[in-house]
Amino acid sequence: MIEPVIGRYMRLDLEGRPHRVYFEEAGQGVPLLLLHTAGADGRQWRHLMNDEAVTSRFRCIAFDMPWHGKSSPPEGWHADEYRLTTAAYTGMALAVSRALGLDRPVVMGCSIGGRIVLDLAAEQAGAIRAVIGLQSSAFVAPYYDTEWLHHPHAHGGEVCAAVVSGLIAPTAPEGDRWETLWHYMQGGPGVFRGDLHFYKGEGDLRPKLARIDTARCPVALLTGEYDYSCRPEDTLATAAAIPGAVAVIMPGLGHFPMSEDYAALRPHLLPVLERFGALP
Amino acid sequence: MNLANLPARVAAAPGLARWGRHLTAEVLLEAGDRRWILSIRDGALRSAEPAPAIMPRYDLALRFDAEGFARFLGASPPPGWHDLMALMRRGALRVEGDIQPFMAHLFWFKGALALLREDAA
């Protein structure tokens, strides 16, 4: 059996530097741009990209952020410390959308992706149709020393995966739990930590929430109850600060709903996609 | 709580010895006013005995508050009480001392302590 998912590379400039970015695509219809979590890659969307209920109505695009998955870091990376910023992240999502000629995509992201969709909704409402934030909140306070995620005395792949392992709900299927963790084990040195620079520091989007106009850019936030990074109360507080935003707390799911247990996410996600897919 | 059979359970758990193959440490496990010493050599839990009242020796300490530890050990821990990092976030677990063995072998520590749940069920 060959899946209907196609992978290709694009060349584009991000923050003035040439990049080679890998993306996967499936389906036809309303463009749906998919953003993976910190320290992982677009494989997290594998179940959705194989779900005909979605691909029959949406052109699904999942790209690996630079430094992640099959996307390379820019030339000269060895002399830099990778640190994701709000401007870089929003810029790359828009650049990918432009490069593929997407017409005002629905943007769905998880974790850091669920964070950046709030910035897109606040600042780029004219360029997108709607946003879906999985495990989305405007800010997460640090609760462990992220120095250990990139330290010569700890294996980076193992420590990154072990740190996030408890964010997966105990009820998740074993195969998808360990597939999700494998993606973390494959991350490059310092990449997960560099993403968390945005997630736990620079990317505090609380001041921007009041700027989101859900009449121009509808917002739906779906959060699994076992997530102690973006906790349900964090999502509810974020939604409360955005008039018109919809928030759902999903039982039996954790921080990686599309990857850890897509079957449990699906009943919550499909009605949102139905609604956003019908937007003009 | 009886930790006496924990070494045998750790030895029987698939994968734990591999995750911890370079883990050698003396670990103080504290839950409220109860304390044990876990003696680990190359990923094998050699013993899990009550800590001596006087001059216990250890490399790092896992200090749980009593309620947090009890909730963690429940057969189906509720969200936020189900993982060591979750307990750390809510302040119900403090990891102190030489943190390196803990972080470098986090899968081992999570897996080994989760085995205690069978007692609590």
Side-chain angles (χ1 to χ4, degrees), chain A residues 150-176:
Chain A
H150 186 200
H151 192 288
H153 292 173
H155 185 285
E158 291 188 11
V159 71
C160 290
V163 160
V164 303
S165 65
L167 295 172
I168 297 173
T171 49
E174 281 296 280
D176 282 320

Short mmCIF file of all heavy atoms in Angstrom, two decimals, chain A residues 150-176:
data_model
loop_
_atom_site.label_atom_id
_atom_site.label_comp_id
_atom_site.label_asym_id
_atom_site.label_seq_id
_atom_site.Cartn_x
_atom_site.Cartn_y
_atom_site.Cartn_z
N HIS A 150 20.33 20.11 25.69
CA HIS A 150 21.49 20.19 24.80
C HIS A 150 22.72 20.29 25.69
O HIS A 150 23.22 21.39 25.96
CB HIS A 150 21.37 21.41 23.87
CG HIS A 150 22.48 21.46 22.84
ND1 HIS A 150 22.82 22.61 22.19
CD2 HIS A 150 23.29 20.50 22.36
CE1 HIS A 150 23.81 22.37 21.34
NE2 HIS A 150 24.11 21.09 21.43
N HIS A 151 23.16 19.16 26.15
CA HIS A 151 24.23 19.12 27.14
C HIS A 151 25.11 17.89 26.84
O HIS A 151 24.58 16.81 26.57
CB HIS A 151 23.62 19.00 28.54
CG HIS A 151 24.60 19.25 29.64
ND1 HIS A 151 25.58 18.35 29.97
CD2 HIS A 151 24.73 20.27 30.50
CE1 HIS A 151 26.30 18.82 30.98
NE2 HIS A 151 25.79 20.00 31.32
N PRO A 152 26.41 18.03 26.87
CA PRO A 152 27.26 16.89 26.51
C PRO A 152 27.17 15.72 27.49
O PRO A 152 27.63 14.62 27.16
CB PRO A 152 28.68 17.50 26.51
CG PRO A 152 28.58 18.74 27.32
CD PRO A 152 27.19 19.25 27.14
N HIS A 153 26.57 15.91 28.64
CA HIS A 153 26.46 14.82 29.61
C HIS A 153 25.11 14.12 29.58
O HIS A 153 24.78 13.35 30.49
CB HIS A 153 26.75 15.34 31.02
CG HIS A 153 28.17 15.75 31.20
ND1 HIS A 153 28.64 16.38 32.32
CD2 HIS A 153 29.25 15.62 30.40
CE1 HIS A 153 29.92 16.63 32.20
NE2 HIS A 153 30.32 16.17 31.04
N ALA A 154 24.31 14.43 28.59
CA ALA A 154 23.04 13.73 28.41
C ALA A 154 22.80 13.56 26.91
O ALA A 154 23.04 14.48 26.13
CB ALA A 154 21.89 14.53 29.03
N HIS A 155 22.33 12.37 26.52
CA HIS A 155 22.06 12.12 25.10
C HIS A 155 20.85 12.97 24.69
O HIS A 155 19.75 12.82 25.25
CB HIS A 155 21.77 10.64 24.88
CG HIS A 155 21.59 10.28 23.44
ND1 HIS A 155 20.44 10.57 22.74
CD2 HIS A 155 22.41 9.67 22.56
CE1 HIS A 155 20.57 10.16 21.50
NE2 HIS A 155 21.76 9.60 21.37
N GLY A 156 21.07 13.85 23.73
CA GLY A 156 20.03 14.81 23.37
C GLY A 156 18.74 14.15 22.93
O GLY A 156 17.65 14.56 23.35
N GLY A 157 18.84 13.14 22.09
CA GLY A 157 17.63 12.48 21.61
C GLY A 157 16.84 11.84 22.74
O GLY A 157 15.62 11.97 22.83
N GLU A 158 17.56 11.15 23.62
CA GLU A 158 16.87 10.46 24.71
C GLU A 158 16.29 11.44 25.72
O GLU A 158 15.17 11.26 26.20
CB GLU A 158 17.83 9.48 25.39
CG GLU A 158 18.18 8.29 24.50
CD GLU A 158 18.96 7.21 25.23
OE1 GLU A 158 19.05 7.26 26.47
OE2 GLU A 158 19.48 6.31 24.55
N VAL A 159 17.02 12.48 26.04
CA VAL A 159 16.51 13.38 27.08
C VAL A 159 15.34 14.20 26.53
O VAL A 159 14.35 14.42 27.25
CB VAL A 159 17.62 14.28 27.66
CG1 VAL A 159 18.09 15.34 26.68
CG2 VAL A 159 17.16 14.95 28.94
N CYS A 160 15.40 14.61 25.27
CA CYS A 160 14.26 15.36 24.70
C CYS A 160 13.01 14.50 24.70
O CYS A 160 11.92 14.95 25.08
CB CYS A 160 14.58 15.84 23.29
SG CYS A 160 15.84 17.14 23.22
N ALA A 161 13.15 13.25 24.26
CA ALA A 161 11.99 12.36 24.23
C ALA A 161 11.48 12.07 25.63
O ALA A 161 10.27 12.03 25.88
CB ALA A 161 12.35 11.06 23.51
N ALA A 162 12.39 11.86 26.56
CA ALA A 162 11.96 11.52 27.93
C ALA A 162 11.28 12.71 28.60
O ALA A 162 10.34 12.53 29.38
CB ALA A 162 13.16 11.05 28.75
N VAL A 163 11.76 13.91 28.31
CA VAL A 163 11.12 15.09 28.91
C VAL A 163 9.67 15.20 28.46
O VAL A 163 8.79 15.53 29.25
CB VAL A 163 11.92 16.36 28.55
CG1 VAL A 163 11.07 17.61 28.72
CG2 VAL A 163 13.16 16.48 29.42
N VAL A 164 9.40 14.91 27.18
CA VAL A 164 8.03 15.09 26.68
C VAL A 164 7.18 13.84 26.82
O VAL A 164 5.98 13.89 26.56
CB VAL A 164 8.01 15.55 25.20
CG1 VAL A 164 8.81 16.85 25.02
CG2 VAL A 164 8.52 14.47 24.25
N SER A 165 7.78 12.71 27.23
CA SER A 165 7.02 11.45 27.19
C SER A 165 5.75 11.50 28.04
O SER A 165 4.72 10.95 27.67
CB SER A 165 7.91 10.28 27.63
OG SER A 165 8.28 10.41 28.99
N GLY A 166 5.82 12.18 29.17
CA GLY A 166 4.65 12.25 30.04
C GLY A 166 3.57 13.19 29.54
O GLY A 166 2.46 13.20 30.09
N LEU A 167 3.90 13.95 28.51
CA LEU A 167 2.89 14.85 27.93
C LEU A 167 1.89 14.08 27.07
O LEU A 167 0.88 14.62 26.65
CB LEU A 167 3.55 15.94 27.08
CG LEU A 167 4.44 16.92 27.85
CD1 LEU A 167 5.21 17.83 26.88
CD2 LEU A 167 3.61 17.78 28.79
N ILE A 168 2.22 12.82 26.78
CA ILE A 168 1.31 11.96 26.02
C ILE A 168 0.34 11.31 27.00
O ILE A 168 0.74 10.87 28.07
CB ILE A 168 2.11 10.89 25.25
CG1 ILE A 168 3.04 11.55 24.23
CG2 ILE A 168 1.18 9.88 24.58
CD1 ILE A 168 4.00 10.59 23.54
N ALA A 169 -0.93 11.26 26.64
CA ALA A 169 -1.93 10.68 27.55
C ALA A 169 -1.62 9.20 27.80
O ALA A 169 -1.18 8.49 26.89
CB ALA A 169 -3.32 10.84 26.98
N PRO A 170 -1.88 8.73 29.02
CA PRO A 170 -1.61 7.31 29.33
C PRO A 170 -2.41 6.36 28.46
O PRO A 170 -2.02 5.21 28.29
CB PRO A 170 -2.04 7.18 30.80
CG PRO A 170 -2.01 8.57 31.34
CD PRO A 170 -2.33 9.49 30.19
N THR A 171 -3.51 6.83 27.90
CA THR A 171 -4.38 5.97 27.10
C THR A 171 -3.99 5.92 25.62
O THR A 171 -4.61 5.21 24.85
CB THR A 171 -5.83 6.49 27.19
OG1 THR A 171 -5.83 7.91 26.92
CG2 THR A 171 -6.42 6.24 28.57
N ALA A 172 -2.95 6.66 25.22
CA ALA A 172 -2.56 6.68 23.81
C ALA A 172 -2.08 5.29 23.37
O ALA A 172 -1.45 4.58 24.16
CB ALA A 172 -1.44 7.70 23.59
N PRO A 173 -2.36 4.90 22.13
CA PRO A 173 -1.85 3.61 21.64
C PRO A 173 -0.32 3.57 21.71
O PRO A 173 0.34 4.57 21.42
CB PRO A 173 -2.32 3.59 20.17
CG PRO A 173 -3.43 4.60 20.09
CD PRO A 173 -3.14 5.63 21.13
N GLU A 174 0.22 2.43 22.09
CA GLU A 174 1.67 2.31 22.29
C GLU A 174 2.46 2.64 21.02
O GLU A 174 3.51 3.28 21.07
CB GLU A 174 2.02 0.91 22.77
CG GLU A 174 1.76 0.69 24.25
CD GLU A 174 2.63 1.58 25.14
OE1 GLU A 174 3.80 1.23 25.34
OE2 GLU A 174 2.12 2.62 25.62
N GLY A 175 1.96 2.18 19.88
CA GLY A 175 2.69 2.43 18.63
C GLY A 175 2.83 3.91 18.34
O GLY A 175 3.91 4.40 17.99
N ASP A 176 1.74 4.65 18.50
CA ASP A 176 1.78 6.08 18.21
C ASP A 176 2.51 6.86 19.30
O ASP A 176 3.11 7.90 19.03
CB ASP A 176 0.36 6.63 18.02
CG ASP A 176 -0.19 6.28 16.64
OD1 ASP A 176 0.59 6.35 15.67
OD2 ASP A 176 -1.38 5.94 16.53
#
